[in-house]
PDB file of all heavy atoms in Angstrom:
ATOM      1  N   LYS I 122     -70.922   4.008 -40.669  1.00 97.00           N
ATOM      2  CA  LYS I 122     -69.714   3.678 -41.292  1.00 97.00           C
ATOM      3  C   LYS I 122     -68.570   3.579 -40.102  1.00 97.00           C
ATOM      4  O   LYS I 122     -68.681   4.216 -39.059  1.00 97.00           O
ATOM      5  CB  LYS I 122     -69.296   4.658 -42.266  1.00 97.00           C
ATOM      6  CG  LYS I 122     -70.227   5.031 -43.422  1.00 97.00           C
ATOM      7  CD  LYS I 122     -70.415   3.688 -44.171  1.00 97.00           C
ATOM      8  CE  LYS I 122     -71.689   3.614 -44.825  1.00 97.00           C
ATOM      9  NZ  LYS I 122     -71.912   2.394 -45.724  1.00 97.00           N
ATOM     10  N   ASN I 123     -67.506   2.799 -40.330  1.00 96.00           N
ATOM     11  CA  ASN I 123     -66.520   2.733 -39.280  1.00 96.00           C
ATOM     12  C   ASN I 123     -65.868   3.908 -38.932  1.00 96.00           C
ATOM     13  O   ASN I 123     -65.393   4.089 -37.787  1.00 96.00           O
ATOM     14  CB  ASN I 123     -65.582   1.494 -39.650  1.00 96.00           C
ATOM     15  CG  ASN I 123     -64.597   1.812 -40.607  1.00 96.00           C
ATOM     16  OD1 ASN I 123     -64.598   2.810 -41.170  1.00 96.00           O
ATOM     17  ND2 ASN I 123     -63.699   0.812 -40.870  1.00 96.00           N
ATOM     18  N   ALA I 124     -65.817   4.947 -39.838  1.00 97.00           N
ATOM     19  CA  ALA I 124     -65.181   6.226 -39.563  1.00 97.00           C
ATOM     20  C   ALA I 124     -66.074   6.831 -38.498  1.00 97.00           C
ATOM     21  O   ALA I 124     -65.538   7.720 -37.647  1.00 97.00           O
ATOM     22  CB  ALA I 124     -65.143   7.034 -40.812  1.00 97.00           C
ATOM     23  N   ALA I 125     -67.403   6.562 -38.468  1.00 97.00           N
ATOM     24  CA  ALA I 125     -68.179   7.167 -37.315  1.00 97.00           C
ATOM     25  C   ALA I 125     -67.820   6.617 -35.962  1.00 97.00           C
ATOM     26  O   ALA I 125     -67.895   7.329 -34.988  1.00 97.00           O
ATOM     27  CB  ALA I 125     -69.625   6.889 -37.652  1.00 97.00           C
ATOM     28  N   HIS I 127     -64.775   5.618 -35.185  1.00 97.00           N
ATOM     29  CA  HIS I 127     -63.538   6.315 -34.829  1.00 97.00           C
ATOM     30  C   HIS I 127     -63.791   7.717 -34.384  1.00 97.00           C
ATOM     31  O   HIS I 127     -62.917   8.249 -33.627  1.00 97.00           O
ATOM     32  CB  HIS I 127     -62.634   6.277 -36.123  1.00 97.00           C
ATOM     33  CG  HIS I 127     -61.912   4.998 -36.294  1.00 97.00           C
ATOM     34  ND1 HIS I 127     -60.826   4.588 -35.526  1.00 97.00           N
ATOM     35  CD2 HIS I 127     -62.138   3.998 -37.061  1.00 97.00           C
ATOM     36  CE1 HIS I 127     -60.404   3.453 -35.948  1.00 97.00           C
ATOM     37  NE2 HIS I 127     -61.187   3.012 -36.912  1.00 97.00           N
TER      38      HIS I 127
ATOM     39  P    DT O 220     -72.435   7.712 -41.095  1.00 61.01           P
ATOM     40  OP1  DT O 220     -73.657   6.771 -41.285  1.00 61.01           O
ATOM     41  OP2  DT O 220     -71.312   7.091 -40.452  1.00 61.01           O
ATOM     42  O5'  DT O 220     -72.012   8.351 -42.485  1.00 61.01           O
ATOM     43  C5'  DT O 220     -72.901   8.993 -43.308  1.00 61.01           C
ATOM     44  C4'  DT O 220     -72.309   9.369 -44.602  1.00 61.01           C
ATOM     45  O4'  DT O 220     -71.169  10.281 -44.369  1.00 61.01           O
ATOM     46  C3'  DT O 220     -71.682   8.229 -45.459  1.00 61.01           C
ATOM     47  O3'  DT O 220     -72.045   8.465 -46.792  1.00 61.01           O
ATOM     48  C2'  DT O 220     -70.178   8.383 -45.216  1.00 61.01           C
ATOM     49  C1'  DT O 220     -69.928   9.827 -44.897  1.00 61.01           C
ATOM     50  N1   DT O 220     -68.893  10.200 -43.934  1.00 61.01           N
ATOM     51  C2   DT O 220     -67.782  10.915 -44.510  1.00 61.01           C
ATOM     52  O2   DT O 220     -67.728  11.365 -45.615  1.00 61.01           O
ATOM     53  N3   DT O 220     -66.821  11.180 -43.483  1.00 61.01           N
ATOM     54  C4   DT O 220     -66.804  10.794 -42.130  1.00 61.01           C
ATOM     55  O4   DT O 220     -65.903  11.015 -41.433  1.00 61.01           O
ATOM     56  C5   DT O 220     -67.961   9.894 -41.776  1.00 61.01           C
ATOM     57  C7   DT O 220     -68.037   9.405 -40.267  1.00 61.01           C
ATOM     58  C6   DT O 220     -68.827   9.665 -42.638  1.00 61.01           C
ATOM     59  P    DT O 221     -71.816   7.314 -47.859  1.00 61.01           P
ATOM     60  OP1  DT O 221     -72.951   7.311 -48.685  1.00 61.01           O
ATOM     61  OP2  DT O 221     -71.448   6.088 -47.070  1.00 61.01           O
ATOM     62  O5'  DT O 221     -70.539   7.756 -48.649  1.00 61.01           O
ATOM     63  C5'  DT O 221     -70.352   9.139 -48.974  1.00 61.01           C
ATOM     64  C4'  DT O 221     -69.027   9.409 -49.595  1.00 61.01           C
ATOM     65  O4'  DT O 221     -68.068   9.880 -48.568  1.00 61.01           O
ATOM     66  C3'  DT O 221     -68.419   8.290 -50.406  1.00 61.01           C
ATOM     67  O3'  DT O 221     -67.914   8.782 -51.625  1.00 61.01           O
ATOM     68  C2'  DT O 221     -67.327   7.778 -49.532  1.00 61.01           C
ATOM     69  C1'  DT O 221     -66.880   8.975 -48.869  1.00 61.01           C
ATOM     70  N1   DT O 221     -66.310   8.855 -47.382  1.00 61.01           N
ATOM     71  C2   DT O 221     -65.124   9.570 -47.060  1.00 61.01           C
ATOM     72  O2   DT O 221     -64.629  10.233 -47.806  1.00 61.01           O
ATOM     73  N3   DT O 221     -64.718   9.218 -45.814  1.00 61.01           N
ATOM     74  C4   DT O 221     -65.215   8.504 -44.890  1.00 61.01           C
ATOM     75  O4   DT O 221     -64.808   8.323 -43.676  1.00 61.01           O
ATOM     76  C5   DT O 221     -66.503   7.758 -45.197  1.00 61.01           C
ATOM     77  C7   DT O 221     -67.196   6.837 -44.305  1.00 61.01           C
ATOM     78  C6   DT O 221     -66.925   8.012 -46.487  1.00 61.01           C
ATOM     79  P    DA O 222     -67.332   7.840 -52.742  1.00 61.01           P
ATOM     80  OP1  DA O 222     -67.598   8.600 -54.120  1.00 61.01           O
ATOM     81  OP2  DA O 222     -67.828   6.390 -52.574  1.00 61.01           O
ATOM     82  O5'  DA O 222     -65.819   7.889 -52.586  1.00 61.01           O
ATOM     83  C5'  DA O 222     -65.046   9.025 -52.330  1.00 61.01           C
ATOM     84  C4'  DA O 222     -63.687   8.728 -51.873  1.00 61.01           C
ATOM     85  O4'  DA O 222     -63.676   8.488 -50.343  1.00 61.01           O
ATOM     86  C3'  DA O 222     -63.099   7.438 -52.472  1.00 61.01           C
ATOM     87  O3'  DA O 222     -61.813   7.669 -52.904  1.00 61.01           O
ATOM     88  C2'  DA O 222     -63.129   6.445 -51.323  1.00 61.01           C
ATOM     89  C1'  DA O 222     -62.879   7.381 -50.203  1.00 61.01           C
ATOM     90  N9   DA O 222     -63.131   6.819 -48.874  1.00 61.01           N
ATOM     91  C8   DA O 222     -64.239   6.030 -48.568  1.00 61.01           C
ATOM     92  N7   DA O 222     -64.229   5.589 -47.281  1.00 61.01           N
ATOM     93  C5   DA O 222     -63.087   6.267 -46.728  1.00 61.01           C
ATOM     94  C6   DA O 222     -62.725   6.365 -45.402  1.00 61.01           C
ATOM     95  N6   DA O 222     -63.259   5.612 -44.352  1.00 61.01           N
ATOM     96  N1   DA O 222     -61.552   7.124 -45.247  1.00 61.01           N
ATOM     97  C2   DA O 222     -60.948   7.810 -46.241  1.00 61.01           C
ATOM     98  N3   DA O 222     -61.460   7.833 -47.484  1.00 61.01           N
ATOM     99  C4   DA O 222     -62.508   7.032 -47.643  1.00 61.01           C
ATOM    100  P    DC O 223     -61.273   6.701 -54.250  1.00 61.01           P
ATOM    101  OP1  DC O 223     -61.297   7.628 -55.370  1.00 61.01           O
ATOM    102  OP2  DC O 223     -61.964   5.443 -54.222  1.00 61.01           O
ATOM    103  O5'  DC O 223     -59.724   6.423 -53.734  1.00 61.01           O
ATOM    104  C5'  DC O 223     -59.389   5.474 -52.692  1.00 61.01           C
ATOM    105  C4'  DC O 223     -58.714   6.286 -51.637  1.00 61.01           C
ATOM    106  O4'  DC O 223     -59.545   6.392 -50.538  1.00 61.01           O
ATOM    107  C3'  DC O 223     -57.417   5.472 -51.072  1.00 61.01           C
ATOM    108  O3'  DC O 223     -56.339   5.860 -51.833  1.00 61.01           O
ATOM    109  C2'  DC O 223     -57.479   5.814 -49.672  1.00 61.01           C
ATOM    110  C1'  DC O 223     -58.864   6.232 -49.305  1.00 61.01           C
ATOM    111  N1   DC O 223     -59.672   5.343 -48.501  1.00 61.01           N
ATOM    112  C2   DC O 223     -59.273   5.133 -47.119  1.00 61.01           C
ATOM    113  O2   DC O 223     -58.496   5.974 -46.548  1.00 61.01           O
ATOM    114  N3   DC O 223     -60.025   4.248 -46.325  1.00 61.01           N
ATOM    115  C4   DC O 223     -60.892   3.416 -46.888  1.00 61.01           C
ATOM    116  N4   DC O 223     -61.632   2.684 -46.114  1.00 61.01           N
ATOM    117  C5   DC O 223     -61.170   3.527 -48.275  1.00 61.01           C
ATOM    118  C6   DC O 223     -60.593   4.431 -49.061  1.00 61.01           C
ATOM    119  P    DT O 224     -55.071   5.004 -51.982  1.00 61.01           P
ATOM    120  OP1  DT O 224     -54.134   5.700 -52.771  1.00 61.01           O
ATOM    121  OP2  DT O 224     -55.458   3.617 -52.369  1.00 61.01           O
ATOM    122  O5'  DT O 224     -54.559   4.972 -50.460  1.00 61.01           O
ATOM    123  C5'  DT O 224     -54.121   6.146 -49.857  1.00 61.01           C
ATOM    124  C4'  DT O 224     -53.368   5.699 -48.495  1.00 61.01           C
ATOM    125  O4'  DT O 224     -54.516   5.172 -47.639  1.00 61.01           O
ATOM    126  C3'  DT O 224     -52.404   4.586 -48.730  1.00 61.01           C
ATOM    127  O3'  DT O 224     -51.237   4.902 -47.975  1.00 61.01           O
ATOM    128  C2'  DT O 224     -53.081   3.351 -48.113  1.00 61.01           C
ATOM    129  C1'  DT O 224     -54.065   3.960 -47.130  1.00 61.01           C
ATOM    130  N1   DT O 224     -55.315   3.167 -46.998  1.00 61.01           N
ATOM    131  C2   DT O 224     -55.665   2.743 -45.747  1.00 61.01           C
ATOM    132  O2   DT O 224     -55.033   3.069 -44.651  1.00 61.01           O
ATOM    133  N3   DT O 224     -56.833   2.044 -45.681  1.00 61.01           N
ATOM    134  C4   DT O 224     -57.626   1.586 -46.634  1.00 61.01           C
ATOM    135  O4   DT O 224     -58.689   1.003 -46.487  1.00 61.01           O
ATOM    136  C5   DT O 224     -57.257   2.065 -47.913  1.00 61.01           C
ATOM    137  C7   DT O 224     -58.004   1.657 -49.263  1.00 61.01           C
ATOM    138  C6   DT O 224     -56.003   2.794 -48.046  1.00 61.01           C
TER     139       DT O 224
ATOM    140  P    DA E 118     -60.138  -3.524 -35.843  1.00 61.01           P
ATOM    141  OP1  DA E 118     -60.072  -3.756 -34.365  1.00 61.01           O
ATOM    142  OP2  DA E 118     -61.348  -3.015 -36.504  1.00 61.01           O
ATOM    143  O5'  DA E 118     -59.008  -2.251 -36.174  1.00 61.01           O
ATOM    144  C5'  DA E 118     -57.750  -2.562 -35.704  1.00 61.01           C
ATOM    145  C4'  DA E 118     -56.821  -1.317 -36.133  1.00 61.01           C
ATOM    146  O4'  DA E 118     -56.835  -1.187 -37.599  1.00 61.01           O
ATOM    147  C3'  DA E 118     -57.404   0.010 -35.557  1.00 61.01           C
ATOM    148  O3'  DA E 118     -56.302   0.818 -35.096  1.00 61.01           O
ATOM    149  C2'  DA E 118     -58.084   0.678 -36.736  1.00 61.01           C
ATOM    150  C1'  DA E 118     -57.225   0.008 -37.961  1.00 61.01           C
ATOM    151  N9   DA E 118     -57.906  -0.012 -39.209  1.00 61.01           N
ATOM    152  C8   DA E 118     -59.265  -0.494 -39.451  1.00 61.01           C
ATOM    153  N7   DA E 118     -59.654  -0.443 -40.686  1.00 61.01           N
ATOM    154  C5   DA E 118     -58.603   0.185 -41.267  1.00 61.01           C
ATOM    155  C6   DA E 118     -58.310   0.537 -42.667  1.00 61.01           C
ATOM    156  N6   DA E 118     -59.232   0.359 -43.605  1.00 61.01           N
ATOM    157  N1   DA E 118     -57.217   1.231 -42.991  1.00 61.01           N
ATOM    158  C2   DA E 118     -56.313   1.459 -42.062  1.00 61.01           C
ATOM    159  N3   DA E 118     -56.385   1.088 -40.751  1.00 61.01           N
ATOM    160  C4   DA E 118     -57.584   0.402 -40.437  1.00 61.01           C
ATOM    161  P    DG E 119     -56.568   2.183 -34.391  1.00 61.01           P
ATOM    162  OP1  DG E 119     -55.491   2.308 -33.336  1.00 61.01           O
ATOM    163  OP2  DG E 119     -57.973   2.128 -33.829  1.00 61.01           O
ATOM    164  O5'  DG E 119     -56.509   3.176 -35.416  1.00 61.01           O
ATOM    165  C5'  DG E 119     -55.305   3.189 -36.228  1.00 61.01           C
ATOM    166  C4'  DG E 119     -55.504   4.148 -37.378  1.00 61.01           C
ATOM    167  O4'  DG E 119     -56.366   3.514 -38.450  1.00 61.01           O
ATOM    168  C3'  DG E 119     -56.199   5.517 -37.087  1.00 61.01           C
ATOM    169  O3'  DG E 119     -55.256   6.581 -37.465  1.00 61.01           O
ATOM    170  C2'  DG E 119     -57.429   5.385 -37.877  1.00 61.01           C
ATOM    171  C1'  DG E 119     -57.035   4.553 -38.995  1.00 61.01           C
ATOM    172  N9   DG E 119     -58.156   4.038 -39.797  1.00 61.01           N
ATOM    173  C8   DG E 119     -59.317   3.271 -39.245  1.00 61.01           C
ATOM    174  N7   DG E 119     -60.132   2.913 -40.245  1.00 61.01           N
ATOM    175  C5   DG E 119     -59.586   3.546 -41.397  1.00 61.01           C
ATOM    176  C6   DG E 119     -60.171   3.499 -42.816  1.00 61.01           C
ATOM    177  O6   DG E 119     -61.058   3.001 -43.120  1.00 61.01           O
ATOM    178  N1   DG E 119     -59.213   4.217 -43.580  1.00 61.01           N
ATOM    179  C2   DG E 119     -58.128   4.843 -43.259  1.00 61.01           C
ATOM    180  N2   DG E 119     -57.460   5.480 -44.171  1.00 61.01           N
ATOM    181  N3   DG E 119     -57.634   4.795 -42.058  1.00 61.01           N
ATOM    182  C4   DG E 119     -58.388   4.115 -41.162  1.00 61.01           C
ATOM    183  P    DT E 120     -55.585   7.984 -36.876  1.00 61.01           P
ATOM    184  OP1  DT E 120     -54.473   8.206 -35.844  1.00 61.01           O
ATOM    185  OP2  DT E 120     -56.983   8.112 -36.463  1.00 61.01           O
ATOM    186  O5'  DT E 120     -55.223   8.867 -38.150  1.00 61.01           O
ATOM    187  C5'  DT E 120     -54.665   8.317 -39.308  1.00 61.01           C
ATOM    188  C4'  DT E 120     -55.249   9.018 -40.479  1.00 61.01           C
ATOM    189  O4'  DT E 120     -56.262   8.293 -41.136  1.00 61.01           O
ATOM    190  C3'  DT E 120     -55.810  10.451 -40.264  1.00 61.01           C
ATOM    191  O3'  DT E 120     -55.356  11.320 -41.325  1.00 61.01           O
ATOM    192  C2'  DT E 120     -57.306  10.190 -40.406  1.00 61.01           C
ATOM    193  C1'  DT E 120     -57.320   9.109 -41.484  1.00 61.01           C
ATOM    194  N1   DT E 120     -58.617   8.370 -41.594  1.00 61.01           N
ATOM    195  C2   DT E 120     -59.072   8.223 -42.832  1.00 61.01           C
ATOM    196  O2   DT E 120     -58.611   8.602 -43.911  1.00 61.01           O
ATOM    197  N3   DT E 120     -60.244   7.409 -42.893  1.00 61.01           N
ATOM    198  C4   DT E 120     -60.887   6.801 -41.698  1.00 61.01           C
ATOM    199  O4   DT E 120     -61.966   6.183 -41.933  1.00 61.01           O
ATOM    200  C5   DT E 120     -60.374   7.184 -40.451  1.00 61.01           C
ATOM    201  C7   DT E 120     -60.899   6.644 -39.245  1.00 61.01           C
ATOM    202  C6   DT E 120     -59.083   7.830 -40.489  1.00 61.01           C
ATOM    203  P    DA E 121     -55.128  12.886 -40.948  1.00 61.01           P
ATOM    204  OP1  DA E 121     -53.774  12.974 -40.245  1.00 61.01           O
ATOM    205  OP2  DA E 121     -56.374  13.425 -40.279  1.00 61.01           O
ATOM    206  O5'  DA E 121     -55.059  13.566 -42.347  1.00 61.01           O
ATOM    207  C5'  DA E 121     -54.811  12.878 -43.583  1.00 61.01           C
ATOM    208  C4'  DA E 121     -55.833  13.262 -44.704  1.00 61.01           C
ATOM    209  O4'  DA E 121     -56.981  12.421 -44.638  1.00 61.01           O
ATOM    210  C3'  DA E 121     -56.305  14.735 -44.443  1.00 61.01           C
ATOM    211  O3'  DA E 121     -56.315  15.363 -45.804  1.00 61.01           O
ATOM    212  C2'  DA E 121     -57.592  14.607 -43.854  1.00 61.01           C
ATOM    213  C1'  DA E 121     -58.152  13.319 -44.558  1.00 61.01           C
ATOM    214  N9   DA E 121     -59.154  12.507 -43.785  1.00 61.01           N
ATOM    215  C8   DA E 121     -59.236  12.339 -42.459  1.00 61.01           C
ATOM    216  N7   DA E 121     -60.314  11.619 -42.148  1.00 61.01           N
ATOM    217  C5   DA E 121     -60.921  11.265 -43.434  1.00 61.01           C
ATOM    218  C6   DA E 121     -62.035  10.588 -43.689  1.00 61.01           C
ATOM    219  N6   DA E 121     -62.813   9.909 -42.729  1.00 61.01           N
ATOM    220  N1   DA E 121     -62.428  10.439 -44.918  1.00 61.01           N
ATOM    221  C2   DA E 121     -61.588  11.078 -45.861  1.00 61.01           C
ATOM    222  N3   DA E 121     -60.441  11.716 -45.613  1.00 61.01           N
ATOM    223  C4   DA E 121     -60.230  11.925 -44.434  1.00 61.01           C
ATOM    224  P    DA E 122     -56.505  16.946 -46.060  1.00 61.01           P
ATOM    225  OP1  DA E 122     -55.461  17.428 -46.917  1.00 61.01           O
ATOM    226  OP2  DA E 122     -56.883  17.547 -44.725  1.00 61.01           O
ATOM    227  O5'  DA E 122     -57.852  16.944 -46.929  1.00 61.01           O
ATOM    228  C5'  DA E 122     -58.164  15.977 -47.879  1.00 61.01           C
ATOM    229  C4'  DA E 122     -59.562  15.838 -48.202  1.00 61.01           C
ATOM    230  O4'  DA E 122     -60.365  15.061 -47.193  1.00 61.01           O
ATOM    231  C3'  DA E 122     -60.274  17.290 -48.095  1.00 61.01           C
ATOM    232  O3'  DA E 122     -61.118  17.369 -49.246  1.00 61.01           O
ATOM    233  C2'  DA E 122     -61.050  17.219 -46.802  1.00 61.01           C
ATOM    234  C1'  DA E 122     -61.435  15.726 -46.721  1.00 61.01           C
ATOM    235  N9   DA E 122     -61.894  15.327 -45.478  1.00 61.01           N
ATOM    236  C8   DA E 122     -61.211  15.498 -44.227  1.00 61.01           C
ATOM    237  N7   DA E 122     -61.903  14.967 -43.289  1.00 61.01           N
ATOM    238  C5   DA E 122     -62.845  14.264 -43.856  1.00 61.01           C
ATOM    239  C6   DA E 122     -63.869  13.354 -43.299  1.00 61.01           C
ATOM    240  N6   DA E 122     -64.045  13.012 -41.999  1.00 61.01           N
ATOM    241  N1   DA E 122     -64.723  12.782 -44.147  1.00 61.01           N
ATOM    242  C2   DA E 122     -64.560  12.998 -45.485  1.00 61.01           C
ATOM    243  N3   DA E 122     -63.730  13.854 -46.168  1.00 61.01           N
ATOM    244  C4   DA E 122     -62.838  14.445 -45.268  1.00 61.01           C
ATOM    245  P    DG E 123     -61.766  18.771 -49.623  1.00 61.01           P
ATOM    246  OP1  DG E 123     -61.377  19.189 -50.992  1.00 61.01           O
ATOM    247  OP2  DG E 123     -61.686  19.656 -48.438  1.00 61.01           O
ATOM    248  O5'  DG E 123     -63.397  18.393 -49.767  1.00 61.01           O
ATOM    249  C5'  DG E 123     -63.741  17.214 -50.448  1.00 61.01           C
ATOM    250  C4'  DG E 123     -65.084  16.618 -49.818  1.00 61.01           C
ATOM    251  O4'  DG E 123     -64.925  16.194 -48.544  1.00 61.01           O
ATOM    252  C3'  DG E 123     -66.275  17.847 -49.834  1.00 61.01           C
ATOM    253  O3'  DG E 123     -67.321  17.294 -50.556  1.00 61.01           O
ATOM    254  C2'  DG E 123     -66.492  17.978 -48.354  1.00 61.01           C
ATOM    255  C1'  DG E 123     -66.016  16.704 -47.774  1.00 61.01           C
ATOM    256  N9   DG E 123     -65.682  16.652 -46.377  1.00 61.01           N
ATOM    257  C8   DG E 123     -64.671  17.388 -45.770  1.00 61.01           C
ATOM    258  N7   DG E 123     -64.578  17.186 -44.563  1.00 61.01           N
ATOM    259  C5   DG E 123     -65.597  16.366 -44.208  1.00 61.01           C
ATOM    260  C6   DG E 123     -66.071  15.778 -43.048  1.00 61.01           C
ATOM    261  O6   DG E 123     -65.590  16.006 -41.929  1.00 61.01           O
ATOM    262  N1   DG E 123     -67.218  14.926 -43.216  1.00 61.01           N
ATOM    263  C2   DG E 123     -67.818  14.778 -44.375  1.00 61.01           C
ATOM    264  N2   DG E 123     -68.902  14.029 -44.327  1.00 61.01           N
ATOM    265  N3   DG E 123     -67.465  15.272 -45.507  1.00 61.01           N
ATOM    266  C4   DG E 123     -66.402  16.010 -45.406  1.00 61.01           C
TER     267       DG E 123
END
Side-chain angles (χ1 to χ4, degrees):
Chain I
K122 303 295 157 184
N123 73 0
H127 282 284

